[in-house]
Amino acid sequence: MNNLRRISPICKFSTTPEPSTTNPTNPLVQKALTPKTFTNASQLARHLSKNVLAHAPGRFVVLQKPYGVSCVGQVQANGGIFGNSVHDERKTERWAGTIREKPAEQIGVTISDCIQDLRKLLREPQLSFCTGLKRYLSGAIVLPCNDKDTNVLKECIRRMSADVEPPFMYNALAITVGRPPKNNGLVTGFATFRNVGKHKEYIFEERKVKKRQKSGKFAVEGHMSYKVLETKNGVSLVDFSVDKFARHLPRLMLTQMCAPILGDTIYWRRLAEVDGAPELISAGNRGHKIWIPRTLPEALELPNRSLLTSLPIYCHVYNTIFEDVGGHEAHGLVAAAKPPAHFLSMLEVLGLLPAYKEFKNKKEKPADTLETPVARSSGDFVF
């Protein structure tokens, strides 16, 4: 796996001839590379209010979180809902990239910034932020409209994030560089920080976490089920379900299978080109030629360097399951959202759109006709 003698140290980037321009001329490619952005809280609030996925008055509002927008924009006190997941609290911010110390222009507008405006626009005076999705994800988020339902959501998340068997809480689609070795499977392991040279990086180990590692917060355990929907042009469309996104777990798991998410700058660099094929190398290694599918630079009209530094991360959470949220008519809540325009455009550019449409049509059939239906009660809210 780590036979570095065969890895060329001459250049980090592929020797494939690069396009002559860094600005794609194909409008579809331009759309695929350009997620929608927001400059202020009022603009984002108006956008969110016009894209309400569902509204149970007085209880929940389901909104579509755009890609690239943080929910809070900073490290939360005491680790937020889940508590601190890093052993040494004093090092938490330094290890996480010190989000709190970034200039405001780097953080950008957040979902939390919009709450006041959303309360007025949606006529929900007690609307609050409870839990969301990572900045690099798009998908549905659920905002509670009262303190009681805030606690209901928190308890549901704590319970479901501890599940060790499917169905898991988060269901997502990712465009990956390369393809996992199997068409489908279940991955279990843990993520932790390790010293690699003079710095620390997230490391994934595909084995059961030891009790001391878990209780001492040296590691975070996670589980993923996955299915490859299609592979074309050196990339794949992967449907996966996970119990949590903490510590980059899904990103690490897919990288461990030699299929990092397209645009994931950090972990794509762990894929080296060895004898013309991708091979996973140890974290911290430098000087190798990073594996890039031969047809990708031409398809995206980008030089290799831009491919490895400038792409959005193509990962979308298409539904999130909240079990047992209670209510007179419902016991569960499924918050669902279609992929954003730039994600769909990238699927079209790379020839993966037919596979997505087939997948979408299957998911839209009644639950009892699906091969692997999501566990739901007859009274679920399906948002």
Side-chain angles (χ1 to χ4, degrees):
M1 179 68 72
N2 296 324
N3 187 353
L4 298 181
R5 290 178 297 175
R6 294 187 291 153
I7 300 177
S8 172
I10 298 176
C11 179
K12 288 186 179 182
F13 306 102
S14 171
T15 57
T16 303
E18 296 189 351
S20 58
T21 177
T22 58
N23 298 312
T25 58
N26 185 335
L28 184 62
V29 175
Q30 292 176 359
K31 188 175 181 180
L33 299 174
T34 314
K36 186 176 179 62
T37 57
F38 304 88
T39 58
N40 58 68
S42 296
Q43 180 194 27
L44 178 57
R46 289 194 301 270
H47 172 82
L48 294 173
S49 67
K50 292 178 181 178
N51 291 274
V52 173
L53 300 172
H55 187 179
R59 293 210 65 196
F60 305 109
V61 175
V62 183
L63 303 173
Q64 181 153 353
K65 187 193 85 67
Y67 170 84
V69 173
S70 294
C71 285
V72 294
Q74 61 184 359
V75 177
Q76 298 181 72
N78 300 318
I81 292 176
F82 302 104
N84 289 316
S85 62
V86 179
H87 172 64
D88 188 342
E89 294 183 23
R90 293 170 299 177
K91 297 179 181 178
T92 299
E93 290 186 26
R94 177 160 59 86
W95 287 354
T98 55
I99 297 175
R100 185 175 296 166
E101 297 179 4
K102 288 183 178 180
E105 61 269 18
Q106 291 187 22
I107 296 173
V109 61
T110 69
I111 299 295
S112 295
D113 295 335
C114 301
I115 294 298
Q116 290 288 355
D117 287 337
L118 286 172
R119 286 173 178 170
K120 297 176 182 178
L121 292 168
L122 301 176
R123 298 180 180 179
E124 289 288 1
Q126 297 185 62
L127 186 75
S128 64
F129 174 78
C130 173
T131 183
L133 296 171
K134 301 291 187 181
R135 181 173 187 159
Y136 63 86
L137 298 170
S138 55
I141 60 172
V142 180
L143 303 183
C145 300
N146 61 76
D147 291 341
K148 180 180 178 181
D149 282 321
T150 296
N151 292 327
V152 167
L153 286 179
K154 288 180 178 179
E155 181 55 35
C156 177
I157 295 165
R158 290 190 188 101
R159 184 174 64 254
M160 293 195 66
S161 66
D163 287 346
V164 298
E165 295 181 357
F168 297 130
M169 186 171 186
Y170 303 100
N171 301 287
L173 292 170
I175 303 175
T176 66
V177 181
R179 178 187 177 96
K182 298 180 181 178
N183 289 330
N184 56 76
L186 182 66
V187 180
T188 295
F190 64 89
T192 185
F193 265 119
R194 292 277 176 81
N195 287 311
V196 287
K198 297 181 179 180
H199 67 287
K200 289 180 179 287
E201 289 189 23
Y202 285 116
I203 303 295
F204 177 76
E205 295 199 22
E206 194 173 350
R207 60 184 176 87
K208 189 172 179 61
V209 65
K210 294 181 180 179
K211 185 176 181 180
R212 180 178 177 275
Q213 290 176 309
K214 192 172 182 179
S215 62
K217 298 181 179 178
F218 294 99
V220 173
E221 187 176 31
H223 313 273
M224 170 194 283
S225 62
Y226 72 92
K227 180 178 181 180
V228 180
L229 301 179
E230 180 64 278
T231 300
K232 283 190 175 182
N233 294 306
V235 297
S236 300
L237 179 60
V238 179
D239 172 28
F240 70 89
S241 300
V242 289
D243 55 348
K244 59 176 73 75
F245 278 91
R247 295 272 190 102
H248 295 187
L249 269 167
R251 296 162 64 180
L252 289 164
M253 289 170 166
L254 288 167
T255 302
Q256 187 73 13
M257 293 186 281
C258 283
I261 301 173
L262 180 66
D264 191 348
T265 302
I266 298 174
Y267 300 116
W268 188 351
R269 293 176 179 273
R270 293 186 186 176
L271 213 57
E273 182 171 331
V274 181
D275 296 337
E279 184 168 309
L280 185 68
I281 63 171
S282 299
N285 282 321
R286 296 290 185 269
H288 57 276
K289 180 168 35 173
I290 299 170
W291 185 73
I292 297 175
R294 299 295 181 183
T295 59
L296 199 57
E298 182 179 356
L300 299 185
E301 301 180 19
L302 289 174
N304 292 340
R305 186 175 297 276
S306 294
L307 286 175
L308 293 167
T309 58
S310 304
L311 296 184
I313 296 179
Y314 292 89
C315 189
H316 171 73
V317 180
Y318 62 84
N319 74 38
T320 303
I321 303 170
F322 296 86
E323 293 182 342
D324 301 323
V325 296
H328 296 294
E329 298 179 355
H331 302 289
L333 184 158
V334 180
K338 295 179 181 179
H342 77 281
F343 189 102
L344 293 173
S345 295
M346 183 58 79
L347 291 177
E348 187 173 354
V349 169
L350 297 176
L352 297 172
L353 191 58
Y356 166 73
K357 290 181 177 179
E358 182 180 355
F359 164 81
K360 178 175 175 289
N361 290 336
K362 287 183 179 180
K363 287 295 181 182
E364 289 178 347
K365 291 180 181 179
D368 57 0
T369 67
L370 295 177
E371 295 178 4
T372 55
V374 173
R376 297 178 178 144
S377 69
S378 60
D380 283 346
F381 285 123
V382 180
F383 288 166

